[in-house]
């Protein structure tokens, strides 16, 4: 059975006090919730990773992820953080390839391929994001675009690496826009992604990798999206900044 995941990307929101409070609120709200086979991940901004992670009494089911890292081991890269630095505070989950990183910071598939390699060399677990822009979908190029993002960033991996990988399909036109892919559109793309992975890495790898949907998921639409057979959870932006909404999403996948 594939692992289900509800992951919250907090982006550049919340100071240290607000980050700690949101994490503790989520922790308190899941106390009586059974979360079989579900990973719960939150991704505060870099400076808040340590204080959030090291709060006493936080529910041990809550995992922390960083939102980005540099591919180099260390060096003259002002403002960047390395995989080793993230791991040194006890955090081993990393989100890579988010569309905001691609759009605003010029991240490319080739650069992301290097980041994925570095993360895996440091025994990190990667949530790898990708997805088409609106023009691609309008021009019916969305399958081609997604296939090439996967090929260019992940096809250098070995079968064994996939145990440490989660895919997050995030159509760019649905991120932070309030516009969601329909459950059918999400399912169609997730099934296609699994086919692409199967063709290169075999059916076993394709069947075990969790594929998350991201793009304006909220408590009103989550249940229907999560019910689709190839959707294994969600990467959540806006709705992850409110503990009630985020916990509702965790409940929606049970
Ligand atoms: C995201 O940032 O990955 C995301 C899906 O955002 P939102 O849920 O706000 O669309």
């Amino acid at each position: 059975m594939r692992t289900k995941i509800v992951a919250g990307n907090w982006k550049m929101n919340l100071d240290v006090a607000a980050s700690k409070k949101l994490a503790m609120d989520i922790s308190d709200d899941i106390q009586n919730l059974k979360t079989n086979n579900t990973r719960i991940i939150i991704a505060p901004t870099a400076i808040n990773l340590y204080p959030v992670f090291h709060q006493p009494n936080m529910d041990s089911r809550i995992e922390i992820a960083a939102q980005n890292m540099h591919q180099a081991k260390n060096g003259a890269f002002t403002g960047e953080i390395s995989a080793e630095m993230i791991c040194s505070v006890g955090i081993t989950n990393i989100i890579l390839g988010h569309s905001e990183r691609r759009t605003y910071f010029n991240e490319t598939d080739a650069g992301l391929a290097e980041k994925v390699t570095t993360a895996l060399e440091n025994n990190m677990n990667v949530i790898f994001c990708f997805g088409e822009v609106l023009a691609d979908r309008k021009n019916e190029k969305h399958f081609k675009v997604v296939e090439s993002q996967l090929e260019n960033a992940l096809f250098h991996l070995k079968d064994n690496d996939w145990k440490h990988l989660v895919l997050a399909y995030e159509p760019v036109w649905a991120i932070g826009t309030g516009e969601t892919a329909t459950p059918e559109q999400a399912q169609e793309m997730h099934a296609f992604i699994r086919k692409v992975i199967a063709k290169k890495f075999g059916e076993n790898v394709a069947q075990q990798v969790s594929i998350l949907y991201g793009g304006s998921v909220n408590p009103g639409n989550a249940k229907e999206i999560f019910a689709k057979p190839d959707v294994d959870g969600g990467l959540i932006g806006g709705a992850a900044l409110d503990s009630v909404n985020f916990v509702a999403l965790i409940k929606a996948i049970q």
Side-chain angles (χ1 to χ4, degrees), residues 9 11 98 100 170 174-177 214-217 235-239:
N9 173 15
K11 311 191 186 191
H98 193 280
E100 287 149 19
E170 298 205 302
I175 297 179
T177 58
S216 300
V217 176
L235 179 56
I236 320 295

Side-chain angles (χ1 to χ4, degrees), residues 156-203:
H156 65 294
L157 299 179
K158 300 190 184 70
D159 292 3
N160 236 6
D161 293 332
W162 284 84
K163 290 194 189 85
H164 305 286
L165 233 91
V166 168
L167 300 180
Y169 167 60
E170 298 205 302
V172 179
W173 48 272
I175 297 179
T177 58
E179 193 167 337
T180 328
T182 64
E184 291 69 32
Q185 285 173 321
Q187 168 57 27
E188 182 186 37
M189 183 57 89
H190 283 219
F192 172 76
I193 292 162
R194 235 179 264 292
K195 252 192 221 145
V196 171
I197 302 300
K199 207 160 80 184
K200 171 74 178 170
F201 295 97
E203 199 57 44

Side-chain angles (χ1 to χ4, degrees), residues 131-163:
E132 81 282 0
V133 298
L134 188 58
D136 298 330
R137 187 158 277 265
K138 282 195 170 150
N139 296 325
E140 295 182 3
K141 289 195 178 134
H142 44 298
F143 293 115
K144 269 230 136 347
V145 166
V146 162
E147 187 169 17
S148 84
Q149 288 172 325
L150 293 171
E151 266 176 26
N152 295 333
L154 302 179
F155 272 23
H156 65 294
L157 299 179
K158 300 190 184 70
D159 292 3
N160 236 6
D161 293 332
W162 284 84
K163 290 194 189 85

Side-chain angles (χ1 to χ4, degrees), residues 35-170:
T35 52
N36 293 337
N37 192 38
T38 306
R39 291 174 66 196
I40 301 164
I41 302 174
I42 53 176
T45 192
I47 199 168
N48 294 330
L49 290 170
Y50 184 90
V52 169
F53 183 53
H54 289 281
Q55 290 194 96
N57 306 324
M58 194 164 71
D59 192 293
S60 60
R61 288 171 292 176
I62 299 178
E63 299 177 47
I64 312 289
Q67 299 175 13
N68 178 42
M69 55 165 242
H70 198 275
Q71 59 269 37
K73 186 174 163 53
N74 54 24
F77 300 104
T78 301
E80 292 290 324
I81 54 172
S82 71
E84 237 173 73
M85 291 168 185
I86 296 165
C87 292
S88 73
V89 297
I91 291 162
T92 53
N93 294 309
I94 180 82
I95 298 173
L96 292 175
H98 193 280
S99 71
E100 287 149 19
R101 300 284 327 162
R102 294 174 187 259
T103 305
Y104 304 131
F105 302 96
N106 304 317
E107 295 220 17
T108 62
D109 288 331
L112 289 166
E114 290 181 40
K115 289 192 177 194
V116 171
T117 298
T118 301
L120 295 174
E121 282 170 358
N122 283 274
N123 298 315
M124 299 183 86
N125 299 307
V126 176
I127 300 176
F128 183 77
C129 310
F130 55 95
E132 81 282 0
V133 298
L134 188 58
D136 298 330
R137 187 158 277 265
K138 282 195 170 150
N139 296 325
E140 295 182 3
K141 289 195 178 134
H142 44 298
F143 293 115
K144 269 230 136 347
V145 166
V146 162
E147 187 169 17
S148 84
Q149 288 172 325
L150 293 171
E151 266 176 26
N152 295 333
L154 302 179
F155 272 23
H156 65 294
L157 299 179
K158 300 190 184 70
D159 292 3
N160 236 6
D161 293 332
W162 284 84
K163 290 194 189 85
H164 305 286
L165 233 91
V166 168
L167 300 180
Y169 167 60
E170 298 205 302

